[in-house]
Amino acid sequence: MTGIVERHTSPVAPVVPRGGVFTPLGLDESRLAGGFWGERQELNHDAIIPHALHWLERAGWVGNFDNAASGRPYEHRGMEFADSEIYKIIEAISWDRARTGPGGADLHAELDAALDGLVDRLAAAQDADGYLHTLFGRAWQRPRYSDLSWGHELYCFGHLLQSAVANARAGANAKYLQVATALADHVCVMFGENGLRTVCGHAEIELGLVELYRLTGVRRYLDQAALFIDRRGAGTLPRIEYGSAYAQDDMPVREATVLRGHVVRALYLSAGATDVAVETGDTELLHVLETQWANTVATRVYVTGGMGSHHNDEAFGLDYVLPPDRSYCETCAGVASIMFSWRLLLATGKSRYADLIERTLYNVLAASPARDGRAFFYANTLHQRSVSVPAPVNADGLCLRGASSRREAWFEASCCPTNLARTLASLGALWATKDAEGVQIHQYGGASVDTVLADGRRVSLDVETEFPHAGTVRITIRESPGTPWTLSLRVPEWAEGASVSVNGVAEEAAPGAASVTRPFVAGDTIVLELPIEARFVFPHPRVDAVRGCVAVQRGPVVYALESVDLPHGWSTEATVVDVSKPPMSDRDSVRVHLSSADSPVRDFPYSVSAADVTPHLTASAEVPLTPYHDWANRGPSTMRVWIPAGTAE
């Protein structure tokens, strides 16, 4: 592939391509230190992962493996894909272990013991031919691969393979990799050239197979992933009520120009296809995937970075169909979006992919967990019209997915909390990369980087910042070779007017990447100044649902109007923001000029007279907004991101 250099190192990271413009840094090379995301990594370790372990046992999903190992008939607990939640938590624990490095053994003793116990229990349930799923294949269950549309067998296998790679790279439990390779060998026999010529209804196996290939060097795993990519879109899956586009089985991957259907399935498929393109040198496929990403971001993504405007099928809408009050924006879709963008960033080096990762991190992933890490949003609406009420629950006390308007402790389909856990644990791997010339920093937060360039030169640096609360990012060189190398800093697309200074000498930095090449010495200081001020964001005129409205964004953070901040008697449904007065902001707050709107009451919600339906502004006030990621943490409330725009009378 043009511009792609083959390599054979293996960083301790979720994605380790053998080619690409950028080389990812491992969790032992790029570590977060405090700040917005460092605090969330600690929350993940202290609360989110233990909370998930508790619920996986309580809901009986881990017990499925014990029952399967016993050989006695049992009633399966949970959804078809319940097995995958155990795999994702194993992955989360593995990355959490890896990120602490030496000295973390005492901290992780309890989680390590939980990981070892889980591996033993699922290994005991594995069949002699490598197959491992707790819902299918036994005498009293449905046959293997009898429900590829909804059974999620290969989907679960993919998560097992990804978690086994994480476990191996973290040096945690050697037994798990044996389980994974036996399962992957089974898949290659059953679905190879002479096997079942079909695909899983939910893409994911492709990701696991490619990463297992990268770890082991066993070529058949990559070849099998490529087979699955090429078979997608041939109509091999049974017809379902949502249509063949739901599982991206309506057209070949290479013929699609935009993502469609079930959002997470589409994004996992695209991420897996990117892996295949990079490993096989398929520049044509990589170009197709870049086109799909670009067209999707241009027409089918919310201002938060969230994806998915259909609740019923968890799917993309048509171009510009982005209603805020019906936004689904599943947390898993945010994770999957980051996975796709990260692979494209590594393959191409284009900063726009890091821009979308940033937007999605701050406004989707950060929004999911409650402040205590023990409740989560499954869907992430941009407009909550009524105060949230308890969601319906099933017989096990688990919230029905997508049915809640508030964060819930656990769901009958708890893919989102476990996906969040594995992403937070591995977050340091998204922060920086390297190439033959130097180091690139893509995301900003307190961090340290210690790495060796391709020619053996060692580079170490520290990043200090209060981002996203403030826009100063200070980088101090700790160790540097005596020869020139390049430090590249991403300048976000929102950061017009940024500057970069080296030892006090500043230059303007346009959005994209700002690079400094010199023989750095220990103590050199590079400062990136990003203009962090609140501003109005206006929608594309074809986004009908929010025409005439504005949102507010400060740096990468989208803000929301929450009812708890309104004057007494005001409503989020009857306010107008004065766009003639720019939003005001400082480090800790954003405020806008709002008016309360007294809408006329009529016996029919339409009129031939504009005056009959024009709201009357009755009172004005300066009102604070809340970061969207932090809404619903102060009690029951209503909320909106898009606010009707006007000017004071």
Side-chain angles (χ1 to χ4, degrees):
M1 300 176 69
T2 303
I4 290 182
V5 179
E6 186 173 350
R7 55 179 173 266
H8 299 284
T9 55
S10 185
V12 184
V15 184
V16 184
R18 295 191 172 202
V21 172
F22 292 153
T23 300
L25 298 188
L27 297 177
D28 54 344
E29 299 175 280
S30 174
R31 291 194 173 96
L32 305 189
F36 189 96
W37 291 109
E39 291 170 1
R40 281 159 176 78
Q41 281 198 320
E42 294 308 314
L43 180 70
N44 192 42
H45 171 82
D46 295 339
I48 295 175
I49 294 175
H51 180 82
L53 287 169
H54 164 76
W55 275 97
L56 291 173
E57 292 284 4
R58 173 175 165 173
W61 301 350
V62 180
N64 287 331
F65 291 95
D66 300 331
N67 290 329
S70 74
R72 296 187 297 272
Y74 63 93
E75 181 180 351
H76 182 272
R77 302 283 295 277
M79 304 287 287
E80 295 89 345
F81 46 83
D83 292 1
S84 69
E85 313 310 347
I86 288 81
Y87 306 147
K88 282 185 282 183
I89 282 299
I90 291 175
E91 182 177 349
I93 297 172
S94 299
W95 295 135
D96 194 57
R97 183 183 195 271
R99 74 178 177 87
T100 61
D106 292 341
L107 177 69
H108 281 272
E110 187 174 341
L111 290 182
D112 278 352
L115 185 152
D116 290 340
L118 291 173
V119 169
D120 286 343
R121 293 164 75 179
L122 66 89
Q126 187 170 31
D127 292 343
D129 65 351
Y131 180 87
L132 179 55
H133 199 286
T134 62
L135 182 59
F136 295 92
R138 292 159 193 86
W140 62 91
Q141 296 176 323
R142 289 177 285 172
R144 297 177 180 181
Y145 311 123
S146 58
D147 187 6
L148 284 168
S149 287
W150 302 110
H152 290 77
E153 287 160 281
L154 293 174
Y155 166 86
C156 289
F157 297 170
H159 279 301
L160 187 151
L161 300 184
Q162 283 187 300
S163 67
V165 169
N167 187 72
R169 288 181 178 150
N173 188 313
K175 180 192 294 186
Y176 197 26
L177 185 58
Q178 296 173 2
V179 172
T181 54
L183 177 58
D185 290 342
H186 164 82
V187 170
C188 291
V189 170
M190 292 301 299
F191 292 89
E193 288 284 8
N194 299 316
L196 299 170
R197 295 179 178 271
T198 187
V199 295
C200 182
H202 197 313
E204 163 62 19
I205 184 65
E206 301 84 359
L207 291 158
L209 284 168
V210 176
E211 214 60 50
L212 188 62
Y213 157 72
R214 290 167 171 167
L215 178 72
T216 65
V218 177
R219 177 73 190 199
R220 65 176 172 274
Y221 302 150
L222 173 61
D223 292 342
Q224 185 60 55
L227 270 179
F228 282 135
I229 296 298
D230 288 341
R231 285 175 183 165
R232 182 73 59 170
T236 61
L237 293 170
R239 293 184 179 182
I240 60 171
E241 59 185 301
Y242 301 130
S244 57
Y246 175 82
Q248 298 74 48
D249 202 34
D250 56 327
M251 67 178 69
V253 172
R254 297 172 190 273
E255 295 180 11
T257 59
V258 69
L259 300 185
R260 70 262 177 248
H262 186 276
V263 178
V264 180
R265 296 173 193 234
L267 289 164
Y268 278 177
L269 176 64
S270 299
T274 305
D275 285 337
V276 168
V278 169
E279 297 304 322
T280 61
D282 193 335
T283 54
E284 178 185 355
L285 177 57
L286 184 61
H287 176 71
V288 166
L289 294 162
E290 285 201 88
T291 299
Q292 291 175 8
W293 184 96
N295 289 339
T296 301
V297 171
T299 63
R300 299 185 177 189
V301 174
Y302 283 90
V303 68
T304 56
M307 299 187 189
S309 55
H310 290 184
H311 278 244
N312 194 37
D313 53 354
E314 300 184 316
F316 288 102
L318 297 175
D319 290 353
Y320 303 108
V321 178
L322 297 165
D325 52 349
R326 292 298 298 161
S327 57
Y328 198 63
C329 297
E330 185 184 346
T331 299
C332 277
V335 170
S337 170
I338 290 169
M339 291 167 63
F340 184 24
S341 293
W342 178 243
R343 285 160 170 80
L344 289 176
L345 174 63
L346 294 176
T348 70
K350 297 174 183 176
S351 62
R352 61 181 179 177
Y353 300 121
D355 285 340
L356 183 61
I357 290 173
E358 177 187 74
R359 183 177 294 272
T360 309
L361 282 172
Y362 283 100
N363 302 299
V364 179
L365 262 70
S368 176
R371 291 175 181 173
D372 67 359
R374 293 180 174 85
F376 312 87
F377 278 133
Y378 185 103
N380 293 277
T381 186
L382 273 68
H383 189 167
Q384 180 63 42
R385 291 182 178 273
S386 60
V387 173
S388 60
V389 296
V393 297
N394 67 12
D396 293 323
L398 307 180
C399 174
L400 304 181
R401 60 175 170 174
S404 179
S405 57
R406 64 180 189 176
R407 295 179 180 92
E408 301 287 350
W410 208 245
F411 303 86
E412 63 171 0
S414 282
C415 46
C416 293
T418 54
N419 239 342
L420 175 71
R422 67 171 180 154
T423 305
L424 288 175
S426 61
L427 208 53
L430 297 176
W431 242 238
T433 57
K434 62 184 177 182
D435 61 11
E437 306 303 321
V439 171
Q440 306 81 39
I441 298 180
H442 304 289
Q443 304 298 335
Y444 298 111
S448 62
V449 171
D450 298 272
T451 191
V452 177
L453 304 182
D455 59 6
R457 295 180 293 168
R458 179 171 291 279
V459 171
S460 298
L461 56 87
D462 293 321
V463 182
E464 299 175 275
T465 182
E466 294 184 327
F467 190 82
H469 305 295
T472 300
V473 181
R474 183 179 303 274
I475 299 160
T476 304
I477 305 299
R478 258 189 295 113
E479 183 177 356
S480 177
T483 54
W485 59 278
T486 299
L487 175 65
S488 180
L489 308 175
R490 179 180 64 91
V491 181
E493 48 82 21
W494 48 262
E496 295 283 352
S499 66
V500 173
S501 65
V502 181
N503 296 333
V505 180
E507 293 185 0
E508 292 184 2
S515 297
V516 180
T517 303
R518 59 184 289 158
F520 294 99
V521 297
D524 277 350
T525 301
I526 302 90
V527 178
L528 174 66
E529 291 286 357
L530 299 173
I532 301 281
E533 69 266 351
R535 61 208 186 281
F536 289 123
V537 178
F538 299 88
H540 190 285
R542 288 185 57 191
V543 185
D544 296 332
V546 292
R547 187 177 291 130
C549 296
V550 295
V552 175
Q553 184 175 329
R554 180 175 184 267
V557 177
V558 173
Y559 280 74
L561 174 63
E562 196 169 4
S563 58
V564 293
D565 293 315
L566 287 172
H568 179 70
W570 286 35
S571 164
T572 55
E573 296 306 296
T575 55
V576 174
V577 61
D578 187 347
V579 292
S580 71
K581 299 176 180 178
M584 302 154 287
S585 64
D586 52 34
R587 184 192 181 283
D588 299 313
S589 69
V590 169
R591 302 170 305 283
V592 293
H593 295 276
L594 288 182
S595 295
S596 179
D598 182 13
S599 298
V601 177
R602 297 178 54 83
D603 56 5
F604 189 59
Y606 313 97
S607 175
V608 296
S609 170
D612 288 344
V613 293
T614 300
H616 303 290
L617 306 184
T618 58
S620 297
E622 187 179 294
V623 176
L625 304 182
T626 191
Y628 172 75
H629 64 249
D630 198 41
W631 89 275
N633 272 306
R634 296 175 292 165
S637 66
T638 60
M639 175 277 299
R640 65 186 308 157
V641 167
W642 290 102
I643 309 170
T647 56
E649 293 182 346

